Amino acid sequence: INAEYMGLRRRADSDVRRKRNVEEEERRQREREEEDRRRRRELEEQERRIQQAEERRRQEEAAAAAAAAAASGHREESVTPRTPPSRAPVAASGPKESAPRTRTSSAPPAKRSAKPTAKQHPQLGVTIKMLDDAHGNRDSVVVVHDVVAGSPAEAAGLQPEDVIMSWDGAALTSKADWVQHIKGSSIGTTVQLRIVRGSREFTKPVTIGASSKEIGGTKKVRSKNQAPVARR
């Protein structure tokens, strides 16, 4: 019985010691957590003080700069010399002589005649020639004869011997059609020209340019060696 009692007593003491150890470990853990929180609070407080000091330093620098600028302006004003008002010379006493009066003409000044500005006409920068088509219709095909250097036609890539079939979808069957389309165009607008070049057919966008000369430049071609142009 004594041995059993002593065994139970040792186990009870061991349980008590383990319980105390656990409680001590928990207490130490709570102390460590409290220490960590205290350090975090100290760091936050230190950062806040640093920010406040930085803000005060910026305010002091701004105030010092403003004061320096005001002092500099005041010094410039004090250094600028004041010119005394000029006094008119006192005329000597004696009989006053009246100055001779000069007659001024009341006629208005002559206006300079402005040079008249030349009227601007729409142009593409090509010289065309009219050919007969394959059906025997005379002068019914518009063909590029020459391209002016630096013109909108050159910028668009038109070449001599290009056949211009249509203007914005409208067929060109005479010189009158060509002239009417150009004269009716506005400078700066873009038109779509249907072109036949050799075996290729494609559309070229061309921007209408300006020229002081009215449209012209049509070549009359009556060559027997010229093959008739077939319309597509």
Side-chain angles (χ1 to χ4, degrees):
I1 292 173
N2 290 334
E4 186 177 356
Y5 173 77
M6 292 301 294
L8 291 174
R9 182 67 180 271
R10 283 196 294 270
R11 283 196 295 273
D13 292 342
S14 178
D15 291 339
V16 170
R17 283 195 299 271
R18 280 199 297 270
K19 184 176 180 182
R20 287 177 181 174
N21 291 337
V22 170
E23 291 176 351
E24 182 67 19
E25 184 64 27
E26 290 178 351
R27 183 182 63 79
R28 291 176 181 175
Q29 181 67 23
R30 287 194 298 270
E31 288 178 353
R32 286 195 293 268
E33 291 176 354
E34 183 65 27
E35 181 67 18
D36 291 340
R37 285 195 292 270
R38 184 182 62 79
R39 288 180 180 177
R40 282 197 297 269
R41 286 195 296 270
E42 289 178 355
L43 289 175
E44 291 174 356
E45 181 67 19
Q46 187 176 1
E47 290 179 357
R48 185 180 62 81
R49 290 175 180 175
I50 292 173
Q51 291 176 357
Q52 289 178 352
E54 185 69 20
E55 183 66 24
R56 283 196 300 272
R57 185 181 62 81
R58 284 198 296 266
Q59 292 176 356
E60 290 173 358
E61 289 179 354
S72 175
H74 181 69
R75 282 197 301 271
E76 289 179 359
E77 290 180 358
S78 60
V79 168
T80 304
R82 293 185 179 180
T83 56
S86 58
R87 294 182 179 180
V90 180
S93 60
K96 294 182 180 179
E97 295 183 359
S98 59
R101 294 182 181 178
T102 57
R103 237 177 189 178
T104 57
S105 174
S106 60
K111 293 183 179 179
R112 293 182 180 179
S113 58
K115 292 183 179 180
T117 56
K119 184 179 179 181
Q120 298 294 308
H121 302 278
Q123 60 97 17
L124 288 182
V126 295
T127 302
I128 65 167
K129 57 185 177 181
M130 303 302 299
L131 298 181
D132 301 341
D133 64 8
H135 303 289
N137 298 317
R138 297 172 65 84
D139 297 339
S140 60
V141 180
V142 179
V143 181
V144 176
H145 179 71
D146 193 15
V147 179
V148 179
S151 64
E154 185 188 47
L158 267 65
Q159 300 178 7
E161 302 306 322
D162 282 351
V163 179
I164 305 177
M165 305 297 294
S166 64
W167 179 297
D168 275 344
L172 298 173
T173 58
S174 64
K175 174 189 174 182
D177 292 345
W178 174 258
V179 174
Q180 180 182 1
H181 281 299
I182 291 187
K183 286 188 174 182
S185 300
S186 300
I187 297 171
T189 57
T190 301
V191 297
Q192 303 292 329
L193 300 182
R194 192 67 179 170
I195 306 295
V196 174
R197 181 181 296 167
S199 60
R200 295 171 53 224
E201 184 173 348
F202 50 89
T203 301
K204 278 279 186 183
V206 185
T207 302
I208 303 296
S211 174
S212 58
K213 295 181 180 180
E214 198 168 2
I215 181 174
T218 304
K219 296 289 183 181
K220 204 84 168 179
V221 177
R222 292 298 182 194
S223 175
K224 294 181 179 180
N225 299 327
Q226 175 70 44
V229 178
R231 286 192 166 273
R232 302 185 181 187

